[in-house]
Amino acid sequence: MRRVCIVVFACLAVGSVSAQKISLSRIDLEMDKLVVHFSLDDANPNHTYQIALYSSKDNFATPLTKVTGDVGTEVKAGTEMKIRWNMAQELGAYKGDLSVEVRARVFVPFVKLTSFDTNRKYKRGKTYPLLWSSGNMGGQIDIDLFDGQNRVDGDRNVPNTGKYEFAISGSVKPGKAYRLKFTNTRNRDEYIYSQPFRIVPKVPFVLKAGGLAVAGAAVYFLLNKDTPPPPSGTDPLIEQWPSIPPN
């Protein structure tokens, strides 16, 4: 049986003189998931936060990734917030003491997408221009493609010049939960996600199916050029045998 002793900390980093406060209320264990309940008070309703969960497994070095709920960027303050962490997926068969830490900071994006339309359907196997603005041009960023919480593709150490040609691999599966993640390589606590968007096949399935139907008809006429086509409702590629009368 898995034995894990959990200790939870909270950390609030802000750059404003208005009152902010983060409070942890309780934690729950749901099978292999840890649920951290907390509240975040802010007198400024216009603030949004970047919230992340860390663990002592790597000495609180990098944010945990198998998390859902009130976590990530542009999170609004609230009184009944929670982060659900899938420990089994993140740590595997882990035993021992473990501490986790909730960190929240006022969200100021280091880059802002200016040309990416998330309502558009993007085709795998094609390249699309990305444009962004940044208050700190220079250095390098990572541009990663995520399907939900899973990274499926991306480019590392991209020059932070405000533009890039992003290629979607032909091996990426169609789906509607894709997001782009921009990470500052100088400070990996600085990152943003795009809104979800859809990736579709390069050639729509309907056109492929239509092409097969036309090919099937062509095969029939090549094989049966001296006979009329079968009646409606029959399969042109299956020979129609006459019925055998009963004895």
Side-chain angles (χ1 to χ4, degrees), residues 193-208:
Y193 283 97
S194 73
Q195 293 297 313
F197 61 93
R198 173 173 290 186
I199 292 179
V200 298
K202 191 172 183 179
V203 179
F205 177 77
V206 173
L207 293 182
K208 289 184 179 180

Side-chain angles (χ1 to χ4, degrees), residues 65-66 89 145-153 177-179:
T65 60
K66 305 302 181 181
Q89 289 186 8
L145 178 65
F146 275 75
D147 182 6
Q149 298 294 324
N150 301 314
R151 181 186 182 275
V152 295
D153 201 1
Y178 285 97
R179 297 182 298 166

Side-chain angles (χ1 to χ4, degrees), residues 18-143:
S18 59
Q20 293 102 358
K21 180 181 178 182
I22 185 170
S23 302
L24 297 174
S25 55
R26 74 179 194 276
I27 61 171
D28 296 328
L29 287 174
E30 299 177 355
M31 300 296 290
D32 288 326
K33 294 183 178 64
L34 174 75
V35 183
V36 181
H37 298 260
F38 65 102
S39 63
L40 179 56
D41 299 326
D42 192 336
N44 187 339
N46 296 319
H47 280 166
T48 59
Y49 283 81
Q50 179 172 313
I51 299 177
L53 188 67
Y54 293 76
S55 84
S56 58
K57 182 69 165 54
D58 63 351
N59 199 27
F60 309 102
T62 57
L64 299 171
T65 60
K66 305 302 181 181
V67 291
T68 57
D70 297 307
V71 65
T73 56
E74 298 186 76
V75 180
K76 284 284 190 180
T79 57
E80 296 182 0
M81 307 175 72
K82 61 184 176 181
I83 299 173
R84 180 174 279 103
W85 174 38
N86 193 320
M87 295 186 296
Q89 289 186 8
E90 189 100 36
L91 302 181
Y94 180 83
K95 292 184 179 181
D97 296 339
L98 185 69
S99 300
V100 294
E101 181 177 87
V102 179
R103 297 180 188 174
R105 57 186 297 177
V106 174
F107 177 66
V108 180
F110 75 101
V111 298
K112 183 177 181 180
L113 281 170
T114 58
S115 70
F116 193 71
D117 182 6
T118 55
N119 293 318
R120 177 181 177 180
K121 295 179 181 178
Y122 292 85
K123 296 181 179 180
R124 60 184 182 178
K126 296 195 67 176
T127 299
Y128 296 91
L130 297 178
L131 296 177
W132 66 87
S133 60
S134 175
N136 186 23
M137 287 292 187
Q140 296 176 325
I141 61 176
D142 291 344
I143 303 176

